[in-house]
């Protein structure tokens, strides 16, 4: 029974990592599509989002089954509940990738990236992909130092987000209202993505170090 | 033991309703502050958000305690897991109210509502408050017909959201970039608020009618 249980918890972790990998691919494709007005790539992201949703649902069902059948307590219980929350955040990150892809498709064949903001959004997109990759590694390895890398990248993204508004609100901004709307929404999506990653990283760190379990030694999430 | 358990589940429901009430107050104050540039009211919303966060955390801790001590199965387990998810959505709705309040404060003493969009945002704000009230009633009474009212209001809000973009992108739009940014963000916040309410309503309905528990009779969430 104990062995079966640990197998199930490993299964939960494996599935979380798989979903994080799918989300990483989605955000990589979405930001590339947004940068290059590649409508086919955007369509791929939009089509693939249902797969992320389905995987997240399956993970939730597995977590509920573990709760029902194996009735974990203490740290094991926290792992399962944390997995439910992380899965919700990953699913939402997939939605945001889809929103960026939809913005690209909506403006096609025009460029969705407003003039004068291409390098800013390219940098934000690269940082978002980096954040997704590090988050996947964090879920896979439980190496808590990776959480710092996510927080740092999030700070950089927040600065770029502020830059977008400075530019849009400056006297030199020549964009029409459509460009202003696109810049506002796209910047918000790029920023939200990293916020979710930080929130997941916090949950993983809390699970490993939190006061509630202060009497347990740190163990990998498996 | 059984009686204690039902007491705990009732406690979960009572707390969810309390959080929903706090969120309703937050969205009512935030949309009013936004409409009237009332910076003091906006500050109240910003200050009160930590209370919502704290209540949501407390509810989560209670839910985890119930899982650990009482090891519910089947429908009871679903109730507890659903409560964890609903609490996350309510907490997020509180954040959105705070965002609207922050927008109000950022523009003060200027108006945050762009010219020409006052009636649209007033209507959206009223519908958001209505949605929050109905959602609170749904959580309190488990009257599933209320979910329809939430969906209908969400459709109306989506239409108003589209109206904002039509207006901003029309030739007659005279707003500067700052007004366009504000309209875009504010409209998105007003729309997201109702999306979360629909998502909570769906979870409550699934809990009552879902296939996973198709062999259980519908019982109130208590």
């Amino acid at each position: 029974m104990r062995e079966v249980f640990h197998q199930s918890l490993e299964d939960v972790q494996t599935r979380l990592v798989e979903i994080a990998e799918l989300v990483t691919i989605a955000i990589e494709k979405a930001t590339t599509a947004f940068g290059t007005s590649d409508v086919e790539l955007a369509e791929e992201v939009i089509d693939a989002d249902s797969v992320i949703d389905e995987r997240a649902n399956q993970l939730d069902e597995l977590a509920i089954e573990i709760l029902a059948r194996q009735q974990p307590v203490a740290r094991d219980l926290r792992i399962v509940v944390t997995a439910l929350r992380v899965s919700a955040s990953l699913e939402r990150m997939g939605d945001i990738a889809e929103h960026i892809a939809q913005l690209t498709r909506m403006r096609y064949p025009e460029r969705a990236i407003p003039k004068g903001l291409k390098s800013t959004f390219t940098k934000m997109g690269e940082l978002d992909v980096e954040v997704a990759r590090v988050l996947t590694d964090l879920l896979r390895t439980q190496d808590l130092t990776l959480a710092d890398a996510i927080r740092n990248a999030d700070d950089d993204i927040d600065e770029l987000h502020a830059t977008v508004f400075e530019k849009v609100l400056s006297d030199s901004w020549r964009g029409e209202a459509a460009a202003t709307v696109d810049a506002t929404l796209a910047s918000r999506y790029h920023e939200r993505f990293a916020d979710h990653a930080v929130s997941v990283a916090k949950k993983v760190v809390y699970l490993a170090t939190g006061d509630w379990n202060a009497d347990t030694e740190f163990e990998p999430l498996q």
Side-chain angles (χ1 to χ4, degrees), chain A:
Chain A
M1 178 65 181
R2 206 61 206 159
E3 200 168 309
V4 171
F5 181 51
H6 274 289
Q7 186 57 47
S8 303
L9 282 188
E10 264 181 48
D11 198 12
V12 164
Q13 189 207 5
T14 305
R15 291 197 198 191
L16 273 184
V17 172
E18 278 170 10
I19 298 171
E21 284 168 348
L22 291 175
V23 169
T24 304
I25 292 169
I27 196 72
E28 189 158 16
K29 286 184 177 178
T31 53
T32 303
F34 182 67
T36 59
S37 300
D38 185 336
V39 75
E40 280 173 32
L41 200 57
E43 294 282 1
E44 276 182 42
V45 176
I46 294 163
D47 290 346
D49 189 55
S50 59
V51 178
I52 294 174
D53 294 350
E54 202 183 306
R55 295 287 185 93
N57 281 340
Q58 287 166 351
L59 173 61
D60 291 354
E61 288 304 315
L62 173 65
I64 291 171
E65 203 181 298
I66 292 173
L67 291 173
R69 293 201 182 175
Q70 300 172 345
Q71 310 198 325
V73 294
R75 187 177 150 70
D76 289 341
L77 171 59
R78 292 263 158 184
I79 290 175
V80 178
V81 171
T82 301
L84 280 167
R85 289 173 171 154
V86 170
S87 128
S89 289
L90 292 174
E91 195 259 321
R92 187 71 203 128
M93 288 165 82
D95 287 347
I96 295 172
E98 189 185 9
H99 289 333
I100 294 173
Q102 283 165 336
L103 207 57
T104 307
R105 184 172 68 178
M106 194 169 68
R107 292 296 170 226
Y108 185 80
E110 303 288 315
R111 275 191 181 278
I113 290 195
K115 268 183 204 162
L117 287 170
K118 189 161 168 57
S119 68
T120 309
F121 275 113
T122 301
K123 189 72 203 147
M124 275 179 120
E126 284 167 1
L127 283 167
D128 274 343
V129 173
E130 178 64 17
V131 158
R133 282 202 191 121
V134 176
L135 184 63
T136 308
D137 283 346
L138 173 62
L139 291 169
R140 185 189 291 117
T141 64
Q142 307 296 308
D143 172 0
L144 300 187
T145 62
L146 295 174
D148 291 330
I150 293 171
R151 266 191 298 267
N152 291 339
D154 178 54
D155 288 344
D156 292 343
I157 292 169
D158 284 347
E159 271 181 39
L160 290 166
H161 182 52
T163 308
V164 170
F165 287 114
E166 276 167 28
K167 196 137 201 172
V168 165
L169 300 178
S170 73
D171 291 338
S172 65
W173 178 248
R174 296 279 169 270
E176 307 215 334
T180 308
V181 168
D182 289 351
T184 305
L185 286 179
S187 192
R188 171 100 184 130
Y189 296 146
H190 280 78
E191 182 240 347
R192 283 299 296 154
F193 189 84
D195 284 347
H196 281 286
V198 169
S199 151
V200 171
K202 268 189 198 158
K203 288 180 179 83
V204 174
V205 171
Y206 178 76
L207 187 62
T209 63
D211 283 335
W212 203 85
N213 278 316
D215 55 343
T216 64
E217 274 186 78
F218 169 64
E219 294 162 4
L221 172 56
Q222 58 183 11

